[in-house]
Amino acid sequence: MFSLENEFLSIKVKSKGGELSSIMSKSTGTEYLWCGDSNFWGGQSPTLFPTVGKVKNNQYSLEGKAYPLTNHGFARHSEFNLAAEDSNSITFELPYSEETLKIYPYKFRLQIIYSLEASSLKISYRVINEDNKDIYFSIGAHPAFNCPLSKEESMSDYYFEFEKEESTSIMTLTSEGYFKRELLPYLKEEKIINISEDLFKKDALVFYDLKSKSIALKNKNNNKAIKVDFDSFKWLGLWSKGNGAPFICIEPWLGHGDYADFEGDFREREGVMCLAEGKEFSCSYRVHIIE
């Protein structure tokens, strides 16, 4: 476990998955990140790489060969190295290995950089192509925030507020967790989504190409809020376990899980990006703690 703090916030990060495991306000002592209780959901803030969501039957095809790959990829289960740290940031790194090549036949380096800036945390991803050919991947974030923040509150005391009014639809899912090729109209010139116990009864709310570049998780009773800026990302998922789990995930994605009828090559998956030999890719999102 590694720690970083400034005047406003302290964070902790695990080497396994390079995963964030705490965001605490130093002024109020409030813990904003979900604890990872496996009775509900054992994750806290996994990095999704080299895929976001599910691949069909936990395997994918690349140039005619099948490779095994579990939900959201292997980075979240991998041990990261501490690559760099200073007073404001900490960097974790996952290099390719003989083991990763068996399930993902590309030579890469994945870095996760956590940077504290006043009362906000910036999470940056860097993918470096170390192969002698193009590599293909998707990447995404899956941070879970405590909701409610106190025992005196319920989830119905909270709501989402987009930066802008949205007229949009959500992607729909099968019972197996694959996407359908149909959209469900969801918002019409609205900014607010009220949260209830049954909001996620049909799984995640997944939005594509929103006008908004940020979303806030707000409380009807006080000024505490979490705002997530996701301008680097095309898709946004909102999710909770739906079994009374006291957390909410706000998930910026570049890519998404397979469509139910998808039978193509990994490189043809919607949202998969191509990175040329010797090149680097970077993206980031930011979590603001408001009190």
Side-chain angles (χ1 to χ4, degrees):
M1 189 74 73
F2 298 84
S3 300
L4 183 69
E5 63 180 87
N6 65 7
E7 180 184 352
F8 303 94
L9 300 175
S10 66
I11 67 167
K12 293 181 180 179
V13 185
K14 297 177 286 192
S15 58
K16 184 176 181 180
E19 186 175 8
L20 187 66
S21 65
S22 174
I23 306 174
M24 183 172 287
S25 164
K26 294 179 74 173
S27 62
T28 66
T30 303
E31 176 59 68
Y32 283 88
L33 198 74
W34 165 242
C35 66
D37 182 351
S38 59
N39 289 317
F40 296 101
W41 180 60
Q44 292 185 276
S45 184
T47 294
L48 318 181
F49 177 90
T51 185
V52 175
K54 286 187 173 185
V55 294
K56 290 283 293 295
N57 302 316
N58 291 323
Q59 67 175 24
Y60 66 95
S61 175
L62 182 62
E63 297 182 335
K65 184 176 179 180
Y67 295 89
L69 193 64
T70 56
N71 191 28
H72 291 318
F74 57 79
R76 63 188 182 133
H77 301 302
S78 301
E79 191 71 18
F80 279 64
N81 304 317
L82 177 64
E85 61 179 325
D86 57 34
S87 58
N88 298 312
S89 68
I90 188 166
T91 300
F92 293 85
E93 184 173 271
L94 176 66
Y96 77 91
S97 66
E98 292 302 316
E99 293 304 308
T100 65
L101 288 170
K102 293 175 184 177
I103 57 175
Y104 180 66
Y106 294 120
K107 296 178 180 179
F108 71 94
R109 210 158 14 110
L110 169 63
Q111 293 182 340
I112 309 173
I113 305 102
Y114 298 96
S115 306
L116 287 175
E117 301 172 10
S119 57
S120 72
L121 170 64
K122 182 181 180 182
I123 300 97
S124 304
Y125 299 125
R126 182 182 298 141
V127 181
I128 302 159
N129 184 349
E130 297 192 331
D131 219 320
N132 58 2
K133 58 187 176 184
D134 295 347
I135 69 172
Y136 295 81
F137 65 93
S138 291
I139 195 164
H142 201 315
F145 302 102
N146 284 323
C147 183
L149 286 169
S150 73
K151 295 179 179 178
E152 293 75 33
E153 298 171 338
S154 68
M155 195 170 278
S156 61
D157 291 319
Y158 289 76
Y159 61 96
F160 294 113
E161 184 174 5
F162 282 108
E163 173 193 14
K164 299 177 180 179
E165 290 189 345
E166 300 285 350
S167 293
T168 188
S169 300
I170 55 173
M171 301 175 70
T172 54
L173 289 154
T174 68
S175 58
E176 293 82 20
Y178 303 116
F179 284 98
K180 303 176 186 178
R181 293 188 186 272
E182 58 187 63
L183 297 174
L184 179 67
Y186 196 77
L187 297 174
K188 187 174 182 180
E189 297 181 2
E190 297 173 89
K191 296 175 68 172
I192 303 296
I193 301 174
N194 289 306
I195 298 173
S196 63
E197 295 287 349
D198 63 354
L199 181 62
F200 304 104
K201 65 182 179 181
K202 293 184 179 180
D203 212 319
L205 306 179
V206 180
F207 300 89
Y208 174 65
D209 267 351
L210 292 160
K211 292 185 293 183
S212 299
K213 298 302 180 183
S214 68
I215 187 173
L217 176 60
K218 292 188 171 182
N219 187 324
K220 298 173 184 176
N221 301 318
N222 57 54
N223 293 326
K224 287 184 178 179
I226 298 161
K227 183 167 77 77
V228 176
D229 299 336
F230 55 90
D231 52 302
S232 296
F233 297 83
K234 291 185 178 181
W235 286 268
L236 180 72
L238 305 175
W239 177 76
S240 188
K241 191 67 175 179
N243 58 355
F247 68 83
I248 292 286
C249 293
I250 300 176
E251 308 176 38
W253 297 345
L254 284 168
H256 62 76
D258 275 349
Y259 286 109
D261 62 356
F262 182 74
E263 301 291 344
D265 188 276
F266 181 81
R267 296 167 294 181
E268 299 168 350
R269 298 175 79 240
E270 188 171 62
V272 164
M273 296 176 288
C274 175
L275 184 62
E277 177 185 355
K279 298 297 184 180
E280 299 182 7
F281 168 83
S282 297
C283 63
S284 64
Y285 70 101
R286 189 184 297 271
V287 178
H288 301 266
I289 301 302
I290 301 166
E291 295 184 322

